[in-house]
Amino acid sequence: MSSKKKVLLKVIILGDSGVGKTSLMNQYVNKKFSASYKATIGADFLTKEVVMDDDRVVTLQLWDTAGQERFQSLGVAFYRGADCCVLVYDVNNSKSFETLESWRDEFLVQASPMDPESFPFVVIGNKVDVEESRRMISSKRAMTFCQSKGGLSYFETSAKEALNVEEAFSAIAKQALAQEEAGDFNSDFPETIPIDLKNDRDGCAC
Amino acid sequence: MTSPTPPHSPPSPTASFYDMSDDEEGEYNTIRHTSSGRGVKLLYTKSKVYVHPTPSAKDNIPGFIALVQQKGPVESNDARPTSSSSARSVHASSLLLAWVPESSLGDSYDTYVKVDLSDSSSPPRQSYLVPPPPTTTTHANSVGTYAFAVPVSEIYSLLVRPPSIGWWFGSLVANTKAGESFPALFFHDSECQSTILQRKKLARESFDPFGDGGGMFWGGDEVLRWLKRYVNVERSGAEPSIYLIDPSEEDKVSFGRKATTSKSPRNSTDGGASSSASPPAAKRDGGMDPITKTLKEAKWNFLEKLSQVTTFTRRTAQAVAENPKVPPQVRRLIQNPEVQVLQEEFDSAKIYLARWAMGIQEQSERERNQRIWTANDVLEMEESSVGEFEILDMEAGKLSMSDLRKPVTLKEWKDFFDAQTGRLQITPDEVKERIFHGGLHPDDGVRKEAWMFLLGVYEWDSSTEERHANMNSRRDEYIRLKGAWWERMIEGHSTAEEEEWWKEQKNRIEKDVHRTDRTIPIFMGEDIPHPDPDSPFADVGTNVHLEQMKDMLLTYNEYNKDLGYVQGMSDLLSPIYAVMQDDAAAFWGFVGFMERMERNFLRDQSGMRKQLLTLDHLVQLMDPKLYLHLQSADSTNFFFFFRMLLVWYKREFEWVDVLRLWEGLWTDYLSSNYHIFIALAILERHRDVIMEHLKHFDEVLKYINELSGTIELQSTLVRAESLYRRFQRTVETIDKKDNFPLPPAAHRRISSTRSASASPPPKTTWAASGAASTSTGTDRGKQRQSVGDVVAKGIGADKEKVISPELRQLLSREVEKVSKAELKEHGGGVGGA
Ligand SMILES: Nc1nc2c(ncn2[C@@H]2O[C@H](COP(=O)(O)OP(=O)(O)OP(=O)(O)O)[C@@H](O)[C@H]2O)c(=O)[nH]1
Ligand SMILES: [Mg+2]
């Protein structure tokens, strides 16, 4: 196994405007939160290399999209070939929770994955740092929803306080990798990493 | 993972017992036995030579490359020669070429540093002993650490890649006679103290830090120089990056007759030897040895690819470096780019390299921009950087009128008007031309006045008095509109649906205002408590300008119920408000702006689709080659221009440039869709990079998105204008031909390529309606494709170009507005059905 296929995992992040999609992504990739990210227009992605449990290195390509629903119609080009879809809502905003289902349906229509039943979705309830009195959606309610949709993984996060963000995305990476491996192998990323990976590196494992 | 910091020995100069002064005798073997029982002589070494075990820079392992001498089969004198004649007496098998990671050196670290820094061009005064590195002849043995030490006699060849203008690290791979290759060693020259000193020295002695081959002196040169003292090093003629070590006659033959022997004794100008021989353009496969083949097929595959990119970069960088007009700062940049940035994003190295090259050009443009742009500048630039893209129809005389490009000052503006009546004394077109080319003065307050005209709040033929009256009634109207939603907010809405919509819109506006242009001084910070304790921003607070923005957008939401507030609008309002600093004036200016922008925000996105399609047609017509490339990269949806078209480049240009750009666009001086030509200008600016390096939709999108904040406005404007004029001429040419019957030959060719059953009459060939409507029934229903096909086939032959209605509309100065009915149907607000 001296040269490995380079694995690129494509992840689409969806959810209402302002739930914190851009903030979550930046917290995960760049380890920072800024209150002045602009509303996303169009689409963009960030990439991050992730070392999986089996020491494999994969590249996550995280697609950030605009939340206002009318902007989705043009941007579906990049839904295709996704390995995982993340549905984000704001725990302090019930509307954003109620729309999760239509985000999911829209995604399935547009991305048309081979087996929609088993396609991995991860649900994230964001902004849990906000004081409890403002909270609109309980964990229980969210988990019930996830159960009803075939047992979707659920995480509660704060992009602001970097709470649970790492955990959520590592689950996302895992599910995306599983999906990618289950799927066809005519990946469009044939480059191999030429440098030998067979040896452990010395000492430092940070 | 950070690289381990080397351990430090106590400061005493003789702290290390390996550090010995036995040079006189040269009997280090004896001493070795008596003192430690083991130890080899460290002849030469170089620090900051890395192994890159993974594509990620954080895994790089720093170490030393070294030439050491061990006890060989032939007892020898001190190997570090005092004259070149004695050098050859050292048997190659007693010499080891080694790489050791810093972390493994322990006490001997200081010795390595000392030897690295000692002057390698003259005989050493001391010789240094270090523990022997583990001798390995195969890479497989060096488990875990990558460390190796291979007898020089076992080395068959070295694959040597010099850095490209300091951008990509130079590297070296040792290939053994057994066919084994050691990991590539990368020379991080900018971190290596000795290389830096050697460069300085070369620069002092010859006023030229470059070797005679023109390449920058680098660590790998030094390694070759060490080896040349003891063994025969020959550069392959067939494969110039291969250096053969003590090659046999057969080897020499198989590597091509052109091989250059470089046995020149050390001297200080010898540094660039590796690049001094200028081999003929090497045939890639001719006479390649098995090792080279294997290397190419495996490990180097990837680096090969990168080096192709680097070739491009080098070419570009060199072109820039050689251009006498390039300012010294840029030249410095070329010599010392931030290699680390690239390393950290090894993955997208291609794009980064490309962007870097563009960045240099952008910077040089900025530098040049300190004087007024002329057409000649652009022509020159196009030649050097955009390559094939020529501006044929540049009206040099006209554009170089630099007066035209000076901003309109408040004084000049006032002089346009009659002092008595306040009526315009020249034609609106003359004013517009001035603003289109020169913009308005950024600081003297002229914008406040002029924008009201440009945004349609004031009529061009109005008097001072009329404008006063106008503004007064508009103020009243703004207050009335604002009062209306305010009242409703308190008293409740008529239907639950409306109530819901309102709440949602209010949230949306608030969220967006709080993330719009917060780095611009007036929108910065929060210094007043939030009026609404239930707002998500109650804890954060707000400031008076944010509150004004909110009110204006809520009022617009009320004023244009069929559409309502849509994301992106806050970006359009903020510059107007910042210039006006008066909510009523800004509101009405915004309303005027929105009349032309409404189509961007429709629920069905039809307006955006149409503009993207127009851009598609325009690129097909103006740059078919680029179009074909974009097609192959799945990018002809032009989605990567979505953001730019939606909010008119608000996110791509610096704030001050946005103001300048918009006032030019508002004039509709050449076209009411001039923003599409800005898109084309940006695209053409980067077309070489796009065509050479960007092969997939995601790469194109990322590249274009990241242009944000780097685009030079002035040159973009000049380029856009020349593109517009060329477009205009192309259309004229095609239209003119339309009036004459075609020569029969051309006629036949067209009908066959179009596979139409009957030859269409000449008229239809140039029909304004695009390919589909002119062709037979079989082509119907795939209009876009047909247009593409026709143009694609017609590269170089403008005979087959078609002017679609979308393109023709680009020649119009009439602003395209959405009709009331359409807005009701597709606006997506609450006014509709
Ligand atoms: N308190 C709190 N605020 C957050 C958190 N994440 C995001 N925000 C804020 O919520 C607002 C929206 O965040 P974004 O990340 O821009 O939201 P988005 O989902 O990308 O929005 P669109 O781009 O419009 O689709 C910003 O004001 C953020 O500062 C969080 O975890 N806690
Ligand atoms: Mg966003």
Side-chain angles (χ1 to χ4, degrees):
Chain A
M1 49 179 252
S2 58
S3 85
K4 273 180 191 140
K5 193 167 152 162
K6 173 145 185 153
V7 184
L8 179 82
L9 302 175
K10 188 167 169 180
V11 175
I12 315 286
I13 304 181
L14 300 176
D16 279 4
S17 172
V19 296
K21 299 180 292 298
T22 303
S23 302
L24 277 167
M25 252 178 57
N26 276 285
Q27 180 58 260
Y28 176 57
V29 176
N30 300 322
K31 304 273 174 274
K32 62 181 188 206
F33 174 81
S34 152
S36 55
Y37 291 127
K38 298 172 180 214
T40 305
I41 296 177
D44 202 356
F45 62 84
L46 292 178
T47 53
K48 182 172 166 102
E49 288 194 348
V50 184
V51 182
M52 306 301 288
D53 288 342
D54 59 356
D55 280 345
R56 244 205 291 185
V57 180
V58 301
T59 304
L60 278 187
Q61 189 184 60
L62 303 166
W63 284 82
D64 186 18
T65 60
Q68 193 157 7
E69 138 245 9
R70 69 184 63 192
F71 291 131
Q72 290 296 317
S73 66
L74 269 170
V76 294
F78 47 77
Y79 280 21
R80 228 149 276 150
D83 298 301
C84 180
C85 175
V86 184
L87 302 170
V88 187
Y89 77 97
D90 172 354
V91 297
N92 313 298
N93 177 331
S94 30
K95 181 84 198 306
S96 71
F97 177 74
E98 285 148 20
T99 50
L100 285 185
E101 181 146 19
S102 61
W103 280 113
R104 176 174 167 274
D105 295 346
E106 178 72 6
F107 175 84
L108 287 175
V109 171
Q110 298 296 347
S112 41
M114 297 233 279
D115 182 8
E117 291 303 306
S118 71
F119 189 87
F121 288 91
V122 172
V123 176
I124 293 183
N126 188 38
K127 307 199 191 182
V128 292
D129 58 283
V130 175
E131 59 178 285
E132 194 54 37
S133 64
R134 289 188 190 270
R135 182 149 181 168
M136 309 282 278
I137 305 296
S138 66
S139 307
K140 192 157 160 254
R141 188 165 162 206
M143 280 179 329
T144 310
F145 168 81
C146 292
Q147 276 310 313
S148 76
K149 293 296 157 202
L152 313 181
S153 315
Y154 177 64
F155 290 88
E156 292 191 349
T157 61
S158 162
K160 188 177 178 183
E161 317 267 296
L163 261 176
N164 229 9
V165 175
E166 197 71 39
E167 289 80 355
F169 278 95
S170 84
I172 289 161
K174 246 180 239 158
Q175 299 207 14
L177 182 61
Q179 170 72 7
E180 144 89 24
E181 284 178 336
D184 54 349
F185 248 70
N186 58 353
S187 157
D188 54 353
F189 221 79
E191 275 118 309
T192 52
I193 301 174
I195 297 161
D196 250 340
L197 293 173
K198 64 184 156 202
N199 299 323
D200 280 338
R201 294 183 290 280
D202 53 319
C204 186
C206 29
Chain B
M1 192 186 305
T2 50
S3 46
T5 32
H8 288 284
S9 318
S12 152
T14 53
S16 167
F17 82 98
Y18 299 113
D19 184 354
M20 304 181 76
S21 175
D22 65 338
D23 202 47
E24 299 316 308
E25 292 87 2
E27 296 287 341
Y28 75 97
N29 280 330
T30 327
I31 292 169
R32 185 192 66 191
H33 290 302
T34 54
S35 59
S36 69
R38 41 204 306 270
V40 293
K41 191 169 251 179
L42 182 61
L43 301 175
Y44 301 103
T45 186
K46 199 156 253 317
S47 63
K48 299 298 171 191
V49 175
Y50 286 67
V51 169
H52 295 178
T54 76
S56 171
K58 62 186 193 311
D59 295 334
N60 293 348
I61 307 169
F64 287 83
I65 188 170
L67 191 64
V68 299
Q69 187 185 14
Q70 61 179 1
K71 186 185 176 185
V74 181
E75 196 68 38
S76 69
N77 285 336
D78 182 2
R80 196 154 180 172
T82 48
S83 75
S84 54
S85 60
S86 71
R88 301 277 173 197
S89 67
V90 177
H91 198 276
S93 64
S94 70
L95 292 172
L96 300 176
L97 185 66
W99 181 81
V100 282
E102 282 177 5
S103 58
S104 74
L105 291 178
D107 282 350
S108 59
Y109 177 78
D110 286 352
T111 313
Y112 272 84
V113 171
K114 224 175 259 176
V115 173
D116 180 25
L117 288 175
S118 69
D119 184 1
S120 60
S121 64
S122 60
R125 258 174 235 123
Q126 280 189 318
S127 71
Y128 297 91
L129 289 194
V130 292
T135 308
T136 44
T137 45
T138 65
H139 177 200
N141 291 352
S142 59
V143 176
T145 62
Y146 296 93
F148 69 84
V150 60
V152 172
S153 58
E154 290 296 311
I155 300 178
Y156 178 72
S157 66
L158 296 174
L159 181 53
V160 178
R161 310 256 164 166
S164 55
I165 314 281
W167 177 235
W168 194 247
F169 298 121
S171 65
L172 184 150
V173 174
N175 309 309
T176 67
K177 288 185 171 150
E180 193 71 29
S181 306
F182 289 98
L185 303 176
F186 293 89
F187 290 75
H188 291 212
D189 289 328
S190 63
E191 300 164 37
C192 175
Q193 214 44 46
S194 65
T195 301
I196 293 167
L197 291 173
Q198 280 151 358
R199 271 185 191 160
K200 279 194 187 141
K201 185 158 177 273
L202 276 178
R204 258 201 320 275
E205 286 170 2
S206 62
F207 306 103
D208 180 17
F210 296 89
D212 38 357
M216 171 73 93
F217 170 80
W218 66 292
D221 289 340
E222 190 62 13
V223 174
L224 288 171
R225 199 160 76 166
W226 305 339
L227 289 169
K228 280 172 199 161
R229 296 199 177 120
Y230 306 101
V231 293
N232 193 12
V233 178
E234 292 199 20
R235 186 175 193 170
S236 160
E239 188 54 54
S241 50
I242 296 273
Y243 288 78
L244 300 170
I245 307 298
D246 275 341
S248 68
E249 283 310 308
E250 287 157 56
D251 292 336
K252 286 182 197 172
V253 170
S254 71
F255 272 87
R257 291 175 305 280
K258 278 284 194 171
T260 11
T261 311
S262 38
K263 314 181 188 172
S264 46
R266 76 204 123 87
N267 74 50
S268 59
T269 54
D270 182 33
S274 70
S275 46
S276 65
S278 48
K283 276 261 175 285
R284 288 249 146 236
D285 294 317
M288 195 189 290
D289 75 321
I291 294 167
T292 319
K293 269 216 178 85
T294 326
L295 274 175
K296 278 201 186 325
E297 276 154 22
K299 289 184 185 155
W300 283 91
N301 211 343
F302 185 69
L303 292 171
E304 270 297 313
K305 262 185 204 146
L306 278 169
S307 72
Q308 280 163 18
V309 178
T310 334
T311 313
F312 158 80
T313 327
R314 188 188 304 158
R315 177 160 57 77
T316 318
Q318 230 148 25
V320 175
E322 282 160 11
N323 187 339
K325 286 191 182 152
V326 171
Q329 303 92 296
V330 180
R331 264 184 251 217
R332 272 200 299 278
L333 181 71
I334 293 164
Q335 288 163 16
N336 189 21
E338 290 183 60
V339 181
Q340 287 305 323
V341 175
L342 169 76
Q343 266 295 292
E344 267 147 32
E345 288 273 348
F346 197 86
D347 260 349
S348 22
K350 275 207 295 196
I351 301 176
Y352 277 79
L353 281 167
R355 186 178 311 126
W356 173 75
M358 288 308 286
I360 289 174
Q361 285 166 2
E362 292 291 337
Q363 189 163 342
S364 79
E365 278 174 36
R366 274 176 216 275
E367 298 287 339
R368 289 192 208 196
N369 193 31
Q370 285 163 3
R371 59 195 175 84
I372 302 290
W373 272 77
T374 67
N376 279 341
D377 290 335
V378 178
L379 281 172
E380 260 170 41
M381 198 183 65
E382 300 296 352
E383 264 165 18
S384 63
S385 64
V386 189
E388 292 173 32
F389 174 62
E390 307 157 76
I391 298 178
L392 295 170
D393 306 323
M394 204 65 181
E395 284 161 295
K398 200 169 173 186
L399 285 181
S400 62
M401 287 166 66
S402 55
D403 278 350
L404 212 59
R405 298 196 171 274
K406 284 194 188 124
V408 177
T409 61
L410 186 59
K411 175 166 187 323
E412 186 181 355
W413 174 263
K414 286 207 163 124
D415 290 343
F416 293 156
F417 295 84
D418 180 88
Q420 230 61 60
T421 63
R423 280 189 204 278
L424 198 59
Q425 289 175 309
I426 55 176
T427 65
D429 255 9
E430 286 170 286
V431 181
K432 286 178 181 175
E433 173 163 22
R434 273 295 285 123
I435 297 174
F436 177 78
H437 282 121
L440 293 157
H441 196 281
D443 307 315
D444 69 0
V446 62
R447 278 188 172 140
K448 242 179 172 144
E449 184 78 6
W451 280 22
M452 289 283 103
F453 287 84
L454 293 172
L455 290 168
V457 178
Y458 294 156
E459 302 291 335
W460 286 103
D461 60 1
S462 59
S463 66
T464 309
E465 216 168 294
E466 284 162 352
R467 291 196 288 275
H468 272 299
N470 178 340
M471 193 37 87
N472 283 338
S473 73
R474 290 200 188 241
R475 270 184 210 293
D476 294 345
E477 177 69 0
Y478 177 67
I479 289 166
R480 195 188 63 74
L481 285 167
K482 201 168 127 179
W485 61 257
W486 187 256
E487 210 165 281
R488 204 134 0 118
M489 194 171 68
I490 291 159
E491 287 171 8
H493 290 256
S494 47
T495 66
E497 191 204 356
E498 247 188 60
E499 180 83 42
E500 175 71 24
W501 187 72
W502 169 258
K503 231 179 80 191
E504 215 180 292
Q505 290 292 79
K506 193 164 167 286
N507 280 336
R508 200 191 292 288
I509 288 170
E510 169 141 56
K511 239 173 239 162
D512 285 356
V513 163
H514 278 265
R515 24 177 203 168
T516 302
D517 296 320
R518 296 302 302 280
T519 55
I520 300 305
I522 68 163
F523 300 122
M524 252 180 217
E526 293 91 5
D527 53 5
I528 58 173
H530 200 284
D532 177 5
D534 291 332
S535 157
F537 293 91
D539 303 336
V540 191
T542 181
N543 74 51
V544 64
H545 300 294
L546 297 183
E547 292 305 297
Q548 296 269 36
M549 286 280 291
K550 241 161 56 184
D551 284 359
M552 285 181 285
L553 290 170
L554 280 165
T555 307
Y556 183 77
N557 186 60
E558 176 78 15
Y559 171 82
N560 190 358
K561 274 193 179 146
D562 291 333
L563 185 62
Y565 172 80
V566 181
Q567 287 197 301
M569 290 184 185
S570 64
D571 276 287
L572 299 184
L573 173 60
S574 66
I576 301 178
Y577 176 72
V579 163
M580 298 297 163
Q581 305 231 358
D582 168 330
D583 56 348
F587 174 79
W588 291 109
F590 174 67
V591 167
F593 191 13
M594 278 309 300
E595 276 185 28
R596 67 165 81 220
M597 300 303 272
E598 260 175 352
R599 61 177 175 158
N600 290 8
F601 297 99
L602 300 178
R603 174 182 280 276
D604 64 1
Q605 291 288 288
S606 52
M608 287 305 295
R609 281 177 212 277
K610 187 182 166 196
Q611 289 170 75
L612 293 170
L613 181 66
T614 306
L615 182 58
D616 175 287
H617 287 190
L618 189 62
V619 176
Q620 286 189 49
L621 180 75
M622 302 288 283
D623 194 345
K625 280 189 196 166
L626 175 63
Y627 187 83
L628 287 179
H629 176 80
L630 290 173
Q631 214 166 30
S632 75
D634 266 336
S635 299
T636 42
N637 50 28
F638 287 88
F639 182 75
F640 49 94
F641 270 102
F642 184 88
R643 185 170 77 194
M644 298 198 214
L645 299 185
L646 188 85
V647 290
W648 274 18
Y649 311 93
K650 174 77 184 312
R651 301 280 181 90
E652 338 302 320
F653 287 104
E654 307 287 341
W655 174 265
V656 287
D657 286 345
V658 169
L659 308 187
R660 165 69 188 90
L661 172 68
W662 284 7
E663 62 205 11
L665 292 175
W666 287 332
T667 64
D668 301 314
Y669 178 65
L670 292 176
S671 162
S672 62
N673 280 301
Y674 197 68
H675 64 290
I676 306 274
F677 289 92
I678 303 289
L680 184 63
I682 293 172
L683 197 58
E684 285 300 325
R685 178 74 182 83
H686 297 269
R687 61 108 64 185
D688 278 4
V689 175
I690 294 170
M691 288 185 64
E692 275 189 64
H693 304 297
L694 309 178
K695 306 277 186 264
H696 302 281
F697 173 71
D698 53 354
E699 291 175 346
V700 177
L701 181 104
K702 188 80 186 161
Y703 181 81
I704 299 283
N705 274 351
E706 297 207 347
L707 292 179
S708 180
T710 69
I711 311 175
E712 215 280 324
L713 179 66
Q714 206 56 41
S715 63
T716 306
L717 290 177
V718 176
R719 192 178 299 108
E721 184 166 359
S722 75
L723 284 164
Y724 176 82
R725 301 215 182 267
R726 199 170 95 176
F727 167 72
Q728 199 178 29
R729 217 152 285 178
T730 308
V731 174
E732 274 166 21
T733 312
I734 292 172
D735 284 349
K736 236 177 253 158
K737 282 185 188 150
D738 188 17
N739 295 325
F740 300 99
L742 282 176
H747 196 152
R748 265 201 310 280
R749 190 166 61 79
I750 288 160
S751 26
S752 64
T753 52
R754 304 268 308 277
S755 68
S757 49
S759 304
K763 177 86 182 157
T764 56
T765 314
W766 317 118
S769 47
S773 60
T774 67
S775 53
T776 55
T778 52
D779 273 347
R780 215 154 273 149
K782 38 176 191 173
Q783 177 165 356
R784 283 192 57 179
Q785 235 173 326
S786 312
V787 176
D789 291 348
V790 171
V791 174
K793 280 176 194 151
I795 293 171
D798 60 354
K799 288 190 178 66
E800 292 175 44
K801 282 174 183 164
V802 189
I803 306 303
S804 67
E806 287 82 8
L807 288 180
R808 202 165 288 283
Q809 209 153 20
L810 289 175
L811 294 169
S812 166
R813 298 176 58 184
E814 187 89 25
V815 175
E816 290 173 61
K817 292 179 185 169
V818 181
S819 74
K820 270 267 160 253
E822 204 184 331
L823 198 59
K824 242 191 169 44
E825 198 182 331
H826 298 295
V830 285

